[in-house]
Each structure stands twice: as structure tokens, then as C-alpha cells.
Amino acid sequence: LRTRLQDKAFILPCSTDTIETIVGYFSEHGNNEEQMEAYYYEGSVYRDLKDFPRSIKSFLKVLDLAEESGVGDCQLLQNTYSQLSWQYNKV
């Protein structure tokens, strides 16, 4: 929740420690939607830290999970595609 709120408030992360713990937990214990959200925010953290290759990898993982679970059109996917588009243009 803290990572989500910091992202929405444009508070830049200092490291990836917290999000890596979150992704690790939800990868093991979460359902597909929770995993998708964790990877989305991991991508956002890497984006803010200007680590674009890792950020793109995380956002692509969101799309992989969505495809596996059959998730249709949702706000998280729209945001993911938007982030990927911005980063592809930047890189």
C-alpha cells in the first residue's frame, strides 16, 4: 500500500528493497491480480530510478500474467501499456 501511495503522490523511491520484498511475497502467495499489481509497481520503481531495462521487464511480466489468467481490459493493463509506450519512445 505504501509503494502504491508513494507512486501516486510522485514520491520517488530511494531503492528497490521494499518492492523486491513485495514482489517476492506476492509471487509466492498472491493470486494473478495481486502479482500483476506488484510487478506493475516494481516497474514503476525501476522507472523512477531510471533503470529502464528492468522496468520494461517488470511491465512485460504484468502482460504475461494478464495473458495467463485471461484478464481482459482493465485500468492496470491500460497503465502498463502506457508506461511501456513511454519507455520504448524514451529508450
Side-chain angles (χ1 to χ4, degrees), residues 6-87:
Q6 287 175 333
D7 184 63
K8 298 210 180 300
F10 303 106
I11 298 172
L12 298 179
C14 298
S15 75
T16 61
D17 295 342
T18 302
I19 195 62
E20 288 176 358
T21 302
I22 292 167
V23 168
Y25 176 82
F26 283 112
S27 291
E28 189 172 325
H29 302 289
N31 61 35
N32 272 6
E33 290 180 15
E34 292 167 333
Q35 290 178 35
M36 287 170 55
E37 186 172 4
Y39 279 106
Y40 175 83
Y41 284 107
E42 181 183 54
S44 296
V45 167
Y46 285 132
R47 176 205 62 217
D48 291 343
L49 295 174
K50 310 263 187 275
D51 188 345
F52 297 118
R54 285 186 181 171
S55 179
I56 290 170
K57 183 178 177 183
S58 296
F59 287 127
L60 290 174
K61 181 69 176 174
V62 174
L63 300 181
D64 290 343
L65 289 166
E67 187 175 328
E68 286 175 17
S69 63
V71 172
D73 188 28
C74 68
Q75 187 65 44
L76 185 64
L77 287 179
Q78 291 175 17
N79 293 347
T80 301
Y81 282 117
S82 175
Q83 290 297 323
L84 283 169
S85 174
W86 180 83
Q87 288 187 57

